[in-house]
Amino acid sequence: MTKYRKSRYIFKHSLLSCKITFMAETLSIFLSNYSGSLRETYIMGFEKNLEKSWNNQPNISLKAYLKKMKGEARDKDRIDYIDSFVSAIGGLIAIIIISFVAVYLGYPMALAPLGASCVIVFGSHKGILSQPRNVIGGHLISTISALIIWSILGKSLFIIGLVLAIVLLIMTLTKTVHPPAAASALVAVNSQAGWGFLISIAIGTILLVFISMIYNNLFQTRQYPKHWL
């Protein structure tokens, strides 16, 4: 009787073990098939959505492409000759003072980008690109970046192009876009002026902002700066 019960006990546990193993294998196969099916469904859905969005893109014909280069008619703005004359006098005063400083420091090549900055600051004193953050920040960031790249990689046509791309990216990210600042970066690399060039640019931009602030605010219709930061 004891042997019979023992055999029965072993048989039951063996049968239970077989059932558990069978169920585990069945569940594993089911989950594997389900995940595979789910993955295929997801991929197919993604491909359909991608194809749909690609097909929805409007096709631009060659005629339409070339027509975009034609531009649009320009509105005829009335020229304020008095305001233009005031801007020209301000730019004249600023560039003369900056020229003395740049030549005295031994970096006359700084006059090219700083002269362009004078045109923007006095000719468009209300514009975002002529505000102190853009003028000072743009020139300093561009010149420092260019000098670092030049110190590491030297001068070549590729480096000049690389400097321009990096400077444009940095100025955009820091909200200090100022087109003449890119000229400062290119002059720094092309002339290989060294780090002393940065001092000339820094003093020149500070002088430009200071002179613009003193000069433009003398006139009732002008205000500079519109904002500092």
Side-chain angles (χ1 to χ4, degrees):
M1 190 70 179
T2 305
K3 290 183 180 180
Y4 173 74
R5 287 181 178 178
K6 188 175 181 181
S7 300
R8 188 177 178 184
Y9 175 79
I10 294 172
F11 176 74
K12 280 185 176 182
H13 278 270
S14 298
L15 185 61
L16 180 61
S17 177
C18 290
K19 286 182 177 181
I20 292 173
T21 303
F22 176 75
M23 290 176 65
E25 290 179 354
T26 304
L27 182 61
S28 176
I29 294 171
F30 173 76
L31 290 175
S32 176
N33 293 334
Y34 178 75
S35 62
S37 174
L38 185 64
R39 185 168 58 254
E40 290 178 1
T41 304
Y42 175 78
I43 293 173
M44 290 176 63
F46 175 75
E47 290 177 349
K48 287 182 179 179
N49 290 334
L50 184 61
E51 184 179 358
K52 184 178 179 181
S53 101
W54 180 263
N55 292 333
N56 287 336
Q57 293 292 330
N59 293 323
I60 301 177
S61 64
L62 179 61
K63 183 178 180 181
Y65 175 71
L66 295 175
K67 188 177 179 180
K68 291 168 67 176
M69 301 179 186
K70 185 179 179 180
E72 300 177 356
R74 182 177 179 178
D75 296 334
K76 293 183 179 180
D77 299 328
R78 187 177 66 86
I79 299 175
D80 190 337
Y81 293 99
I82 295 177
D83 187 70
S84 299
F85 181 76
V86 170
S87 297
I89 296 300
L92 173 65
I93 295 171
I95 196 62
I96 288 176
I97 295 173
I98 292 171
S99 296
F100 277 115
V101 175
V103 172
Y104 176 78
L105 293 175
Y107 296 96
M109 68 282 292
L111 293 177
L114 291 175
S117 292
C118 288
V119 173
I120 293 180
V121 169
F122 287 96
S124 181
H125 57 90
K126 296 180 181 179
I128 183 68
L129 301 182
S130 62
Q131 302 307 307
R133 176 190 178 98
N134 297 73
V135 177
I136 299 175
H139 274 288
L140 292 182
I141 289 173
S142 298
T143 306
I144 292 171
S145 301
L147 289 172
I148 290 174
I149 295 172
W150 167 74
S151 299
I152 298 173
L153 302 176
K155 174 191 171 183
S156 69
L157 293 178
F158 173 76
I159 297 303
I160 292 175
L162 179 65
V163 164
L164 181 62
I166 292 175
V167 161
L168 175 59
L169 179 61
I170 295 176
M171 284 195 295
T172 303
L173 294 176
T174 56
K175 297 181 181 180
T176 56
V177 174
H178 185 67
S184 290
L186 297 183
V187 170
V189 175
N190 194 47
S191 66
Q192 304 183 74
W195 286 93
F197 179 73
L198 177 62
I199 299 174
S200 183
I201 289 293
I203 295 175
T205 53
I206 293 172
L207 277 174
L208 175 56
V209 169
F210 178 75
I211 295 168
S212 178
M213 184 174 60
I214 299 299
Y215 179 81
N216 282 315
N217 290 324
L218 292 174
F219 303 91
Q220 188 175 1
T221 57
R222 288 176 169 243
Q223 178 190 353
Y224 186 86
K226 300 292 287 185
H227 50 78
W228 283 96
L229 299 176

